[in-house]
Amino acid sequence: MPSEINVGLVGYKFMGKAHSNAYMSVDKFFDCTAKPVMKAVCGRNATAVAEFAQRWGWESAESSWESLVARDDIDLIDIGTPGSTHAEIGIGAAKAGKHVFCEKPLAMNMDESRRILAAVRDAGVKHMVNFNYRRVPAVSLAKQMIDADEIGEIRHARFTYLQDWLVDPMFPMNWRMRAESAGSGAHGDLGAHSIDMARFLVGDLESVVGQKKTFITERPAEGTSSGLSATAGEGTEQVTVDDCSMWLAKFAGGALGTFEATRLAPGRKNFNRFEINGSKGTLVWCFEDMNWLKFYSTECPEHAQGFRRIMATDDCHPYVGNWWPPGHILGYEHGFVHAVYDLLEDIAHDRPCLPDFRDGAQVVAVLEAVDQSMEAGSWANVERVE
Ligand code: SOE
């Protein structure tokens, strides 16, 4: 069993920071069987990536992913770059015999998803997609409660992911609004999280029907951009992805679902919410209030029925015992630390990782089925990824 896992990270912007922070803190808060060693970070701008490496504690910097994956001293490649690069880097990393951790969505389409899945399987390496919201303690608690039959048979599941950072038509273009770099807009970027959450909590989706729309079709050209902020350059550029998607789903287990993703909901910053209604109760969670899980049980005495707010910050809640005393709440970054902890433990103990690239590909299959339903104007079956 290894006592250390050498990490090479590709990307040093928003996700690069979130992943670096996770590697920096994971073995301080959790007892890691194998500690991560922050060997190298990679980005195309050699000066900027060298500065990032120094600031965030990476031992070295590389300016091409090919040279990173060719290094003998790297065990795990972490991909935190735009979606259009995932397949190429992931396949290259797998062929070089590295374990692969990849940001969502796994790939731009099913063709790429199948190829990257085949590559990690052929190489026999570990693979995990980073769906960080699964690893928020209140969400993991919801999963435990569903598995323990606390809300009974699930009938309705509502997944809503609303943001507002593109409401202003003068917000400039960046890679997230170009089909060639992002694949899709809110549909893949936000919808992928909801689909993962739905599969995690409710189960596989069988068929879907829906629509997408781009309300703001032209924006100021890109000047500079980082994370969710940008400055304008000269002229304008066509937006080639959706602003929003809305769709219905039939789950294989019989439940019915609704899904909504948008970047045009004023006031909603990172409103990633679900409400699941079962035969015995309801669970509600929203990221903007991420430490709380709301629970309604029909099994409470009649006079005491009503929603309970469970603050998922006690030692009995998933992951929490490693952090602060009860009530000292957790934030966005903790989900990444939990994902990295599980990934490192799975690698160290030679166990399968979850969600793996098959799960990632299954999410892409759902996204594509919504596109197909939109084109056909009718329900579309979701391809089952084996
Ligand atoms: C932008 O919409 C974004 O940063 C997504 O890319 C992330 O996956 C989501 O967690 C928060 O919003």
Side-chain angles (χ1 to χ4, degrees), residues 103-120:
E103 259 308 317
K104 45 54 66 174
L106 176 62
M108 301 281 277
N109 50 48
M110 277 311 285
D111 177 50
E112 284 189 2
S113 299
R114 280 187 213 101
R115 288 195 289 114
I116 189 169
L117 178 58
V120 289

mmCIF file of all heavy atoms in Angstrom, residues 103-120:
data_model
loop_
_atom_site.group_PDB
_atom_site.id
_atom_site.type_symbol
_atom_site.label_atom_id
_atom_site.label_comp_id
_atom_site.label_asym_id
_atom_site.label_seq_id
_atom_site.Cartn_x
_atom_site.Cartn_y
_atom_site.Cartn_z
ATOM 1 N N GLU A 103 -12.693 17.026 -13.570
ATOM 2 C CA GLU A 103 -13.824 17.906 -13.306
ATOM 3 C C GLU A 103 -15.033 17.500 -14.168
ATOM 4 O O GLU A 103 -14.885 16.843 -15.185
ATOM 5 C CB GLU A 103 -13.435 19.368 -13.611
ATOM 6 C CG GLU A 103 -13.102 20.179 -12.375
ATOM 7 C CD GLU A 103 -14.182 20.111 -11.296
ATOM 8 O OE1 GLU A 103 -15.371 20.192 -11.634
ATOM 9 O OE2 GLU A 103 -13.831 19.950 -10.117
ATOM 10 N N LYS A 104 -16.201 17.939 -13.767
ATOM 11 C CA LYS A 104 -17.427 17.675 -14.510
ATOM 12 C C LYS A 104 -17.621 18.742 -15.570
ATOM 13 O O LYS A 104 -17.052 19.820 -15.403
ATOM 14 C CB LYS A 104 -18.640 17.627 -13.599
ATOM 15 C CG LYS A 104 -18.760 18.717 -12.542
ATOM 16 C CD LYS A 104 -18.711 20.163 -12.898
ATOM 17 C CE LYS A 104 -19.832 20.712 -13.738
ATOM 18 N NZ LYS A 104 -19.705 22.201 -13.893
ATOM 19 N N PRO A 105 -18.440 18.542 -16.599
ATOM 20 C CA PRO A 105 -18.885 17.218 -17.037
ATOM 21 C C PRO A 105 -17.695 16.440 -17.596
ATOM 22 O O PRO A 105 -16.723 17.037 -18.040
ATOM 23 C CB PRO A 105 -19.921 17.529 -18.123
ATOM 24 C CG PRO A 105 -19.721 18.945 -18.507
ATOM 25 C CD PRO A 105 -18.967 19.635 -17.423
ATOM 26 N N LEU A 106 -17.791 15.113 -17.573
ATOM 27 C CA LEU A 106 -16.654 14.278 -17.960
ATOM 28 C C LEU A 106 -16.103 14.666 -19.334
ATOM 29 O O LEU A 106 -14.899 14.724 -19.528
ATOM 30 C CB LEU A 106 -17.072 12.804 -17.968
ATOM 31 C CG LEU A 106 -16.002 11.819 -18.448
ATOM 32 C CD1 LEU A 106 -14.773 11.836 -17.547
ATOM 33 C CD2 LEU A 106 -16.578 10.407 -18.537
ATOM 34 N N ALA A 107 -17.007 14.894 -20.306
ATOM 35 C CA ALA A 107 -16.549 15.173 -21.668
ATOM 36 C C ALA A 107 -17.615 15.964 -22.409
ATOM 37 O O ALA A 107 -18.687 16.234 -21.876
ATOM 38 C CB ALA A 107 -16.255 13.851 -22.379
ATOM 39 N N MET A 108 -17.298 16.328 -23.652
ATOM 40 C CA MET A 108 -18.189 17.193 -24.443
ATOM 41 C C MET A 108 -19.402 16.445 -24.967
ATOM 42 O O MET A 108 -20.436 17.038 -25.254
ATOM 43 C CB MET A 108 -17.419 17.733 -25.644
ATOM 44 C CG MET A 108 -16.196 18.523 -25.267
ATOM 45 S SD MET A 108 -16.635 20.180 -24.768
ATOM 46 C CE MET A 108 -16.749 20.958 -26.366
ATOM 47 N N ASN A 109 -19.262 15.140 -25.177
ATOM 48 C CA ASN A 109 -20.343 14.357 -25.779
ATOM 49 C C ASN A 109 -20.112 12.878 -25.481
ATOM 50 O O ASN A 109 -19.112 12.515 -24.853
ATOM 51 C CB ASN A 109 -20.395 14.601 -27.300
ATOM 52 C CG ASN A 109 -19.012 14.430 -27.909
ATOM 53 O OD1 ASN A 109 -18.323 13.447 -27.630
ATOM 54 N ND2 ASN A 109 -18.599 15.377 -28.721
ATOM 55 N N MET A 110 -21.021 12.040 -25.969
ATOM 56 C CA MET A 110 -20.937 10.602 -25.670
ATOM 57 C C MET A 110 -19.755 9.939 -26.362
ATOM 58 O O MET A 110 -19.162 9.003 -25.828
ATOM 59 C CB MET A 110 -22.239 9.894 -26.053
ATOM 60 C CG MET A 110 -23.297 10.006 -24.991
ATOM 61 S SD MET A 110 -22.679 9.573 -23.338
ATOM 62 C CE MET A 110 -22.591 7.812 -23.455
ATOM 63 N N ASP A 111 -19.430 10.427 -27.555
ATOM 64 C CA ASP A 111 -18.297 9.828 -28.263
ATOM 65 C C ASP A 111 -17.028 9.988 -27.409
ATOM 66 O O ASP A 111 -16.309 9.019 -27.128
ATOM 67 C CB ASP A 111 -18.152 10.505 -29.630
ATOM 68 C CG ASP A 111 -16.951 9.960 -30.361
ATOM 69 O OD1 ASP A 111 -16.843 8.727 -30.428
ATOM 70 O OD2 ASP A 111 -16.102 10.763 -30.822
ATOM 71 N N GLU A 112 -16.773 11.205 -26.950
ATOM 72 C CA GLU A 112 -15.604 11.437 -26.094
ATOM 73 C C GLU A 112 -15.717 10.668 -24.779
ATOM 74 O O GLU A 112 -14.731 10.127 -24.278
ATOM 75 C CB GLU A 112 -15.479 12.929 -25.769
ATOM 76 C CG GLU A 112 -14.937 13.768 -26.888
ATOM 77 C CD GLU A 112 -14.637 15.201 -26.432
ATOM 78 O OE1 GLU A 112 -14.815 15.533 -25.238
ATOM 79 O OE2 GLU A 112 -14.222 15.986 -27.280
ATOM 80 N N SER A 113 -16.910 10.628 -24.231
ATOM 81 C CA SER A 113 -17.097 9.940 -22.939
ATOM 82 C C SER A 113 -16.754 8.459 -23.067
ATOM 83 O O SER A 113 -16.093 7.883 -22.197
ATOM 84 C CB SER A 113 -18.552 10.062 -22.459
ATOM 85 O OG SER A 113 -18.884 11.403 -22.285
ATOM 86 N N ARG A 114 -17.208 7.852 -24.179
ATOM 87 C CA ARG A 114 -16.911 6.417 -24.380
ATOM 88 C C ARG A 114 -15.408 6.198 -24.507
ATOM 89 O O ARG A 114 -14.861 5.233 -23.983
ATOM 90 C CB ARG A 114 -17.602 5.902 -25.648
ATOM 91 C CG ARG A 114 -19.058 5.593 -25.419
ATOM 92 C CD ARG A 114 -19.677 4.927 -26.650
ATOM 93 N NE ARG A 114 -21.062 5.336 -26.735
ATOM 94 C CZ ARG A 114 -21.537 6.275 -27.544
ATOM 95 N NH1 ARG A 114 -20.752 6.888 -28.412
ATOM 96 N NH2 ARG A 114 -22.808 6.591 -27.515
ATOM 97 N N ARG A 115 -14.740 7.126 -25.228
ATOM 98 C CA ARG A 115 -13.298 6.940 -25.451
ATOM 99 C C ARG A 115 -12.505 7.097 -24.150
ATOM 100 O O ARG A 115 -11.593 6.324 -23.877
ATOM 101 C CB ARG A 115 -12.806 7.916 -26.528
ATOM 102 C CG ARG A 115 -13.313 7.493 -27.914
ATOM 103 C CD ARG A 115 -12.581 8.184 -29.042
ATOM 104 N NE ARG A 115 -12.912 9.588 -29.131
ATOM 105 C CZ ARG A 115 -12.061 10.586 -28.914
ATOM 106 N NH1 ARG A 115 -10.805 10.334 -28.609
ATOM 107 N NH2 ARG A 115 -12.448 11.834 -29.040
ATOM 108 N N ILE A 116 -12.865 8.051 -23.342
ATOM 109 C CA ILE A 116 -12.109 8.269 -22.098
ATOM 110 C C ILE A 116 -12.389 7.121 -21.110
ATOM 111 O O ILE A 116 -11.485 6.647 -20.412
ATOM 112 C CB ILE A 116 -12.406 9.685 -21.504
ATOM 113 C CG1 ILE A 116 -11.468 10.015 -20.337
ATOM 114 C CG2 ILE A 116 -13.802 9.896 -21.072
ATOM 115 C CD1 ILE A 116 -11.534 11.486 -19.901
ATOM 116 N N LEU A 117 -13.635 6.626 -21.125
ATOM 117 C CA LEU A 117 -13.973 5.494 -20.251
ATOM 118 C C LEU A 117 -13.199 4.243 -20.677
ATOM 119 O O LEU A 117 -12.628 3.525 -19.836
ATOM 120 C CB LEU A 117 -15.492 5.249 -20.293
ATOM 121 C CG LEU A 117 -16.045 4.082 -19.495
ATOM 122 C CD1 LEU A 117 -15.699 4.210 -18.003
ATOM 123 C CD2 LEU A 117 -17.577 3.993 -19.654
ATOM 124 N N ALA A 118 -13.147 4.023 -21.999
ATOM 125 C CA ALA A 118 -12.396 2.854 -22.500
ATOM 126 C C ALA A 118 -10.923 2.979 -22.131
ATOM 127 O O ALA A 118 -10.279 1.992 -21.742
ATOM 128 C CB ALA A 118 -12.563 2.743 -24.015
ATOM 129 N N ALA A 119 -10.383 4.194 -22.223
ATOM 130 C CA ALA A 119 -8.940 4.382 -21.948
ATOM 131 C C ALA A 119 -8.608 4.053 -20.492
ATOM 132 O O ALA A 119 -7.619 3.362 -20.218
ATOM 133 C CB ALA A 119 -8.533 5.815 -22.279
ATOM 134 N N VAL A 120 -9.421 4.521 -19.542
ATOM 135 C CA VAL A 120 -9.086 4.231 -18.128
ATOM 136 C C VAL A 120 -9.299 2.746 -17.820
ATOM 137 O O VAL A 120 -8.553 2.158 -17.032
ATOM 138 C CB VAL A 120 -9.867 5.128 -17.126
ATOM 139 C CG1 VAL A 120 -9.363 6.561 -17.179
ATOM 140 C CG2 VAL A 120 -11.377 5.069 -17.332
#
